[in-house]
């Protein structure tokens, strides 16, 4: 029988009942706080420091740390840390990452981004890498320590509860504090919160490291690709990923270390010349290699003829990388055939129209529209979170009522109109004012002391967060349904990381475009980008429908065969 997840205050009560669950709440907070501070709130600080939007866009690429964290997950999983290993297999990594994050926040606090953006960016990258690595260790800890009293479903719900609390603290509370003290002091205080969590982490239970563990038994069985062929495939994919990460990192460094007065490199030129190659290296090369592996296995070439149980720490680590980088796309392409191109197209473009500009929300509200920090904190991080929860609930309802792909299509269409809403907001909100007045929102919110200008912002955020909440819920459900039961964790990790790839690359060019053409124009351009997602959803719907018809024909043919006999 499935474990029922408690909600609301019952979830908080459950989180405080046992040592494991209370520590899980703290770990969820420790994961959510740096993400909120580095991916969202940091841009408010940069906007206040008058950093141009092109630079903010490039610095937002630190978010790729969270997308690419599966690349170094084998290291976190397999490598004992000298000296720290004695405190625990997973705790050692968690505490190390928390110490690095504290140092990163202290470095940010000690650096003036207006005069030393390069050093500031280094500390941000360090903190983001530590945060992403901490997430790997916390995810593993949650699975390891789960038991009958605290099952993984309960721990996962508690983790999300702590994460959401942290998003309010790192977003709304940080903005409120920044209106009353310096940003440097705000980040020092947030680092202090991480230090408190580190003390709690030392009290966490842990599991022993297995002495002799084979990671993936399927790679040892007859019919699996032999180790040399796996190594060759992994080398090709690994070099492709390494080149892509180096190229992005090198451009970030050149952009952020440009001397004052010198012309910065063009993000638009970089995206135009290197963007397609980065997509090729991280998506198409692994797909081609995976398809070639399927071809070799189908023809029984370079495969094991008998079981190979030999293993070493190096082979285990390489097997882990192989299963993270090559096997997920191999299974997907074998199962879907050419349809995998449609699925990958949908994954790459689905969140494009709102992910591209999300990093610029705080500079847009604070510096362009001149709302106060308190107003933005309430609208985006308190009121907005409730609107997102409504959107997620609506997404689940629509999924149950309409089915998977109709809801995914709705989730692709609605955010496009959200960009037009923000374009109107950038131009003074005449249409928003008209809608608010017509449906009575101006009068309703006026009862709570909100003027027309604030109603305009709340209405825009309401539509945006509800529509993206629906889109997010439907997309997670779609992605969860498309992954293989045999490769659930690694396949989901890889595919979900690809979701943010184009959006993250696009943020750099969006920042430069905001500076050049203005917010309203770029919002309309990013809305047009949503057409690609709509197209791929329609193609996926057609593919699934055709697959269903073939399945029905095959079933009918099998039924007819005995009758003819």
């Amino acid at each position: 029988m499935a474990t029922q997840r408690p909600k609301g205050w019952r979830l908080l009560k459950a989180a405080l009942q046992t040592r494991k669950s209370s520590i899980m709440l703290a770990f969820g907070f420790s994961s959510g706080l740096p993400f909120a501070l580095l991916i969202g709130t940091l841009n408010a600080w940069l906007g206040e420091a008058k950093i141009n939007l092109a630079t903010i866009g490039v610095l937002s690429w630190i978010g790729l740390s969270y997308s690419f964290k599966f690349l170094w997950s084998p290291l976190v999983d397999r490598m004992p840390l000298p000296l720290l290993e004695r405190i625990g297999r997973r705790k050692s990594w968690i505490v190390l990452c928390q110490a690095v994050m504290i140092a990163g926040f202290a470095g940010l606090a000690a650096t003036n981004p207006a005069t030393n953006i390069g050093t500031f960016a280094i500390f941000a990258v360090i903190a983001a890498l530590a945060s992403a690595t901490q997430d790997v260790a916390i995810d593993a800890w949650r699975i390891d320590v789960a038991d009958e009293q605290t099952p993984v479903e309960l721990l996962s719900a508690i983790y999300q509860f702590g994460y959401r609390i942290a998003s309010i603290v790192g977003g709304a509370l940080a903005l409120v504090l920044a209106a009353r003290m310096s940003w440097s002091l705000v980040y020092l205080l947030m680092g202090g919160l991480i230090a408190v969590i580190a003390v709690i982490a030392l009290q966490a239970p842990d599991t022993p490291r297995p002495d002799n563990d084979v990671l993936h038994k399927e790679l040892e069985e007859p019919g699996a690709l032999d180790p040399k062929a796996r190594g060759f495939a992994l080398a090709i994919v690994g070099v492709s990923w390494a080149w892509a990460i180096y190229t992005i990192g090198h451009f970030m460094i050149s952009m952020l270390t440009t001397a004052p007065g010198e012309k910065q490199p063009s993000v638009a030129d970089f995206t135009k010349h290197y963007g397609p190659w980065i997509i090729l290296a991280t998506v198409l090369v692994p797909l081609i290699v995976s398809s070639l592996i399927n071809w070799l296995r189908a023809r029984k070439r370079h495969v094991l003829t008998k079981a190979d149980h030999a293993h070493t720490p190096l082979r285990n680590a390489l097997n882990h990388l192989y299963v993270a980088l090559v096997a997920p796309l191999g299974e997907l392409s074998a199962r879907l055939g050419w349809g995998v191109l449609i699925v990958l197209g949908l994954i790459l473009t689905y969140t494009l129209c709102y992910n591209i500009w999300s990093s610029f929300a705080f500079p847009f509200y604070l510096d362009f529209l001149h709302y106060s920090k308190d107003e933005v904190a309430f609208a985006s991080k308190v009121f907005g979170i409730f609107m997102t929860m409504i959107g997620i609930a609506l997404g689940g309802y629509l999924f149950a009522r309409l089915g998977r792909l109709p809801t995914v299509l709705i989730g692709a269409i609605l955010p496009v109109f959200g960009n037009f809403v923000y374009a109107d907001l950038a131009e003074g909100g005449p249409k928003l004012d008209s809608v608010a007045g017509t449906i009575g929102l101006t009068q309703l919110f006026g009862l709570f002391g909100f003027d027309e200008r604030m109603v305009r912002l709340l209405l825009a955020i309401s539509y945006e967060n509800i529509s993206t909440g629906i889109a997010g819920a439907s997309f997670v459900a779609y992605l969860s349904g498309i992954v293989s039961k045999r490769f659930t964790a690694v396949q989901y990790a890889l595919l979900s990381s690809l979701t943010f790839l184009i959006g993250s690359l696009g943020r750099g060019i969006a920042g430069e475009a905001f500076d050049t053409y203005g917010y309203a124009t770029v919002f309309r351009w990013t809305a047009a980008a949503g057409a690609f997602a709509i197209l791929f959803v329609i193609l996926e719907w057609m593919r699934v429908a055709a697959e269903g018809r073939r399945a029905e024909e095959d079933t009918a043919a099998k039924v007819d065969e005995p009758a003819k006999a």
Side-chain angles (χ1 to χ4, degrees):
M1 184 176 178
T3 303
Q4 186 174 2
R5 296 185 180 184
K7 297 180 180 179
W9 291 110
R10 291 181 181 178
L11 182 59
L12 180 59
K13 182 180 178 182
L16 299 176
Q17 283 180 341
T18 68
R19 180 183 170 199
K20 289 179 182 178
S21 56
S22 59
I23 288 173
M24 187 76 265
L25 181 68
F27 281 169
F29 186 89
S30 184
S31 285
L33 186 63
F35 187 87
L37 291 169
L38 295 169
I39 305 305
T41 307
L42 192 70
N43 296 329
W45 184 357
L46 295 172
E48 188 175 290
K50 306 303 179 185
I51 303 299
N52 65 63
L53 293 177
T55 301
I56 292 176
V58 169
L59 190 54
S60 72
W61 287 352
I62 64 172
L64 290 171
S65 301
Y66 297 91
S67 297
F68 295 164
K69 63 186 178 183
F70 67 93
L71 291 172
W72 56 87
S73 62
L75 188 68
V76 178
D77 187 53
R78 309 299 301 178
M79 179 181 172
L81 288 172
L83 301 179
L84 289 176
E85 175 73 8
R86 68 183 66 179
I87 70 174
R89 176 190 181 193
R90 305 301 185 187
K91 283 197 305 184
S92 58
W93 279 96
I94 293 171
V95 171
L96 174 64
C97 292
Q98 289 169 339
V100 174
M101 283 190 288
I102 293 167
F105 288 147
L108 290 172
T111 308
N112 183 352
T115 58
N116 204 345
I117 187 63
T119 302
F120 190 87
I122 290 172
F123 285 121
V125 169
I126 291 171
L129 287 170
S131 174
T133 306
Q134 177 197 233
D135 289 353
V136 173
I138 287 176
D139 288 341
W141 182 88
R142 181 174 66 245
I143 295 168
D144 287 346
V145 304
D147 54 26
E148 290 185 3
Q149 185 180 8
T150 50
V152 71
E153 293 84 3
L154 175 62
L155 290 176
S156 297
I158 292 170
Y159 172 87
Q160 289 297 327
F161 193 83
Y163 198 99
R164 289 171 185 169
I165 293 172
S167 69
I168 295 175
V169 172
L173 181 59
L175 285 175
V176 170
L177 291 174
R180 294 157 177 81
M181 62 181 69
S182 69
W183 278 109
S184 294
L185 187 53
V186 170
Y187 272 73
L188 279 177
L189 289 173
M190 296 298 163
L193 291 178
I194 297 293
V196 172
I197 302 298
V199 174
I200 296 174
L202 291 172
Q203 311 305 314
D206 213 329
T207 55
R209 186 178 297 276
D211 294 329
N212 192 16
D213 179 38
V214 178
L215 278 176
H216 302 289
K217 294 184 180 299
E218 289 187 6
L219 300 180
E220 303 176 349
E221 301 303 321
L225 207 64
D226 67 53
K228 289 183 180 179
R230 286 204 305 270
F232 185 70
L234 183 58
I236 295 173
V237 175
V239 167
S240 298
W241 272 92
W243 173 85
I245 293 172
Y246 168 79
T247 302
I248 293 170
H250 182 265
F251 180 78
M252 282 184 67
I253 292 170
S254 64
M255 179 82 174
L256 297 170
T257 55
T258 303
E262 291 185 8
K263 184 179 179 181
Q264 287 184 314
S266 171
V267 186
D269 288 344
F270 173 82
T271 306
K272 181 172 66 176
H273 294 137
Y274 288 97
W277 292 106
I278 290 171
I279 301 300
L280 177 70
T282 56
V283 181
L284 293 182
V285 167
L287 182 62
I288 292 169
V289 170
S290 301
S291 300
L292 178 60
I293 287 170
N294 290 336
W295 185 84
L296 290 173
R297 291 184 61 186
R299 287 156 181 77
K300 299 188 182 303
R301 298 182 182 179
H302 300 287
V303 298
L304 295 174
T305 56
K306 60 181 180 179
D308 177 11
H309 298 301
H311 60 89
T312 64
L314 176 61
R315 179 181 283 195
N316 284 343
L318 292 176
N319 284 350
H320 198 134
L321 281 173
Y322 179 85
V323 171
L325 293 176
V326 181
L329 287 180
E331 190 282 333
L332 203 65
S333 60
R335 176 158 46 95
L336 301 180
W338 288 104
V340 71
L341 297 176
I342 296 174
V343 170
L344 288 177
L346 193 159
I347 290 170
L348 287 168
T349 60
Y350 193 77
T351 64
L352 189 60
C353 75
Y354 54 91
N355 259 348
I356 283 181
W357 74 267
S358 59
S359 292
F360 305 96
F362 283 153
F364 175 60
Y365 299 143
L366 295 168
D367 305 316
F368 183 78
L369 296 178
H370 303 295
Y371 286 96
S372 72
K373 292 186 179 74
D374 287 357
E375 289 172 331
V376 173
F378 171 77
S380 67
K381 293 299 181 181
V382 178
F383 180 80
I385 284 178
F386 283 108
M387 294 300 104
T388 300
M389 292 171 67
I390 290 172
I392 292 171
L394 282 173
Y397 173 78
L398 292 172
F399 207 88
R401 294 285 296 180
L402 302 179
R404 182 176 64 161
L405 288 172
T407 307
V408 173
L409 182 60
I410 291 171
I413 293 171
L414 290 179
V416 172
F417 292 100
N419 283 26
F420 288 115
V421 168
Y422 271 81
D424 182 66
L425 183 63
E427 293 175 333
K431 294 183 178 63
L432 283 168
D433 290 345
S434 176
V435 169
T438 300
I439 63 178
L441 282 181
T442 303
Q443 296 79 3
L444 176 63
F445 281 115
L447 297 176
F448 298 95
F450 295 118
D451 59 14
E452 188 178 64
R453 180 171 165 275
M454 192 63 181
V455 171
R456 195 181 302 150
L457 178 63
L458 293 173
L459 184 58
I461 286 177
S462 294
Y463 182 88
E464 171 72 8
N465 287 22
I466 289 174
S467 63
T468 55
I470 292 172
S474 61
F475 186 65
V476 168
Y478 167 77
L479 206 57
S480 300
I482 204 71
V483 299
S484 165
K485 299 296 183 184
R486 293 192 301 120
F487 289 91
T488 302
V490 291
Q491 202 169 70
Y492 188 90
L494 177 61
L495 296 181
S496 61
S497 73
L498 297 180
T499 303
F500 301 101
L501 183 60
I502 293 182
S504 296
L505 290 173
R507 287 173 194 158
I509 192 172
E512 189 171 293
F514 281 136
D515 277 332
T516 306
Y517 303 103
Y519 279 100
T521 299
V522 179
F523 280 135
R524 293 189 177 96
W525 287 353
T526 54
F532 290 103
I534 295 171
L535 174 62
F536 277 113
V537 173
I538 293 171
L539 291 174
E540 172 67 353
W541 199 338
M542 294 169 62
R543 183 194 70 80
V544 171
E547 191 178 77
R549 287 194 298 269
R550 285 195 298 270
E552 290 176 359
E553 291 170 359
D554 290 343
T555 302
K558 290 177 180 178
V559 171
D560 289 342
E561 283 179 5
K564 291 179 180 178

